[in-house]
Amino acid sequence: MSIKYYAKISGTGMYVPDKILTNSDLEKIVDTTDEWIRTRTGMSERHLAADNQAASDLAYEATIKAIKAARIKTKDIDMIIVATISGDHPFPSTACILQQKLGLKDFPAFDVSAGCTGWIYAANIAKQYIETGVAKNILIVGVEILTKITNWTDRGTCILFGDGAGATIISRAGEKDISRFIDSELSADGTHYDLLIQNAGGSRMPATEETVKENLHTVYMEGNKIFKNAIRSMYSACDIVLKRNHLDVHSIDWLITHQANLRIIQALGKKMKIDEKKVIVNIEKYANTSSATIPMALDEAIRNKKIRHGDIVLMASFGAGLTSGSLLIRI
Ligand code: UT7
C-alpha cells in the first residue's frame, strides 16, 4: 500500500474512577497478602467503576481530555474505534454509544475485540484509514471495566484487574510534522483462545441460571501459561518493527508495554537489553486495565513531560485471543 499521508498522535487523555481498592482491601476478600501481590505482580492498588458507570462513561471522560489536548473540535472527529472486552452491552458497540454521548453521527464507529492488545489493534486500523486519506481525525479508546466481570472468589485473577480508559486522537500529520506513526505489527494465535476467556454469555454458552451460579460469566485465565507467551510474543512484535525499520533498541527513547505484571515487563526489558530507565511503568497505581493500560501510560507520561515531542516510542501488548502487537511512533 502506498502511503498518501502520515498519521500522528495529536492528543491523549485518560480517566480512572474515584474508588480505589488496595491490596489490603483484597486481603479481606480472598486468601491473599499485600506482599504476595506486590512481589508477584508489582500492583499496589487499582480503581473500580461505580455501579452506575459503564465503559462508555469512562471512555467519554478520557475523550474530552484527548480532544482538548489535540486542540480540535469534537465535530472534527470522523471515525471512532473503541477497543474493549467489557463494553456497555454485548451489542450495540460501545463506539456507537460514545458517538451518541459526543453528539456526533454519520461516520463509522465500531468496537475491536482483541483483549489487552485492543488499543494497539485500534491504532493500527486508524493508521490505515489516515494513511489512505479516508479519515482525518480518528478517536481511538482503550476502555475496560473488568471488575464487573471478575470472579471475586478466584484469588488467581481477582487481584489483577482495575478499571480505566485511555483515549487517543490519531490525526493526519502536516507536511512538516516530525510526529508520525512509523510502523506497526499485529498478530494472533487462536490455538490458545481458551487460556483467557469469558466462557458464558455468547452463542457457545448462552446465559442460564446455571452459568451464573457457576461464575461462567467472569474472566477465566490460566495465568502462568499466558505469562511465558506474553514475553515471547511482545519480544517478537518489537523485534519485527525494529528490524523492518533498520533500528535497534538504542534508537528507542521509551518502551511502553501492556501493564499486566511487573515481572513480565522486566523480563521483556531484559530480553530486549533496553535501559530500564526507558521503560514506562505505572502498574502499581492502576493494576491491569487491559486495553486501557498503554493509552493511559502514554497519556500520563506525556502529561508529566517524560515523553516529549519528537521522542521515539515503542509500544507492545498481548492478550486474549491470544493476540499480540506493537506500534512504533514518533511523538
Ligand atoms: O492481561 C493479559 C493477560 N493476563 C496476564 O498477563 C497474566 C499473566 N500471568 C501472571 O501475571 C501470573 O501468572 C499471575 C500473577 C496470574 C500468577 O503468578 P504466578 O507466579 O504465575 O503464580 P501461579 O499461578 O503459578 O501460582 C503460584 C502459587 C500457587 O500456589 P501453590 O500451588 O504453589 O501452593 C497459587 O495458588 O501462588 C498461589 N496464588 C496466590 N497466593 C496468594 C495464586 N494467586 C494468589 C494470590 N495470593 N492472589
Side-chain angles (χ1 to χ4, degrees), residues 10 66-77 137-138 169 171:
S10 57
I67 290 172
K68 199 170 167 209
R71 296 198 184 97
I72 60 166
K73 295 200 168 63
T74 306
K75 68 172 176 49
D76 296 332
I77 292 168
N137 292 294
I138 305 181
I169 309 285
S171 303

Side-chain angles (χ1 to χ4, degrees), residues 151 153 200 207-218:
N151 179 353
T153 65
T208 62
E209 260 180 58
E210 219 48 45
T211 59
V212 174
K213 259 190 223 147
E214 288 174 22
N215 257 325
L216 294 172
H217 294 267
T218 58

Side-chain angles (χ1 to χ4, degrees), residues 30-33 36-37 40-41 116 155-157 159-161 196 221-227 230 258-261 263-264 288 290 318-320:
V30 281
D31 180 16
T32 191
T33 60
W36 191 97
I37 301 172
R40 306 304 289 176
T41 71
C116 307
R155 68 176 182 173
T157 55
I159 55 136
L160 298 173
F161 303 112
L196 179 48
M221 181 171 75
E222 294 186 35
N224 44 17
K225 289 192 187 150
I226 293 176
F227 193 102
H258 174 40
Q259 311 281 304
N261 188 318
R263 289 184 293 138
I264 294 177
N288 180 351
S290 187
F318 67 94

Side-chain angles (χ1 to χ4, degrees), residues 81 107 119 141 174 182 187 200 213 241 248-249 263 282 288 320-321:
I81 312 174
F107 60 73
W119 182 86
V141 188
I182 301 168
S187 190
K213 259 190 223 147
V241 291
D248 64 23
V249 80
R263 289 184 293 138
N282 66 3
N288 180 351

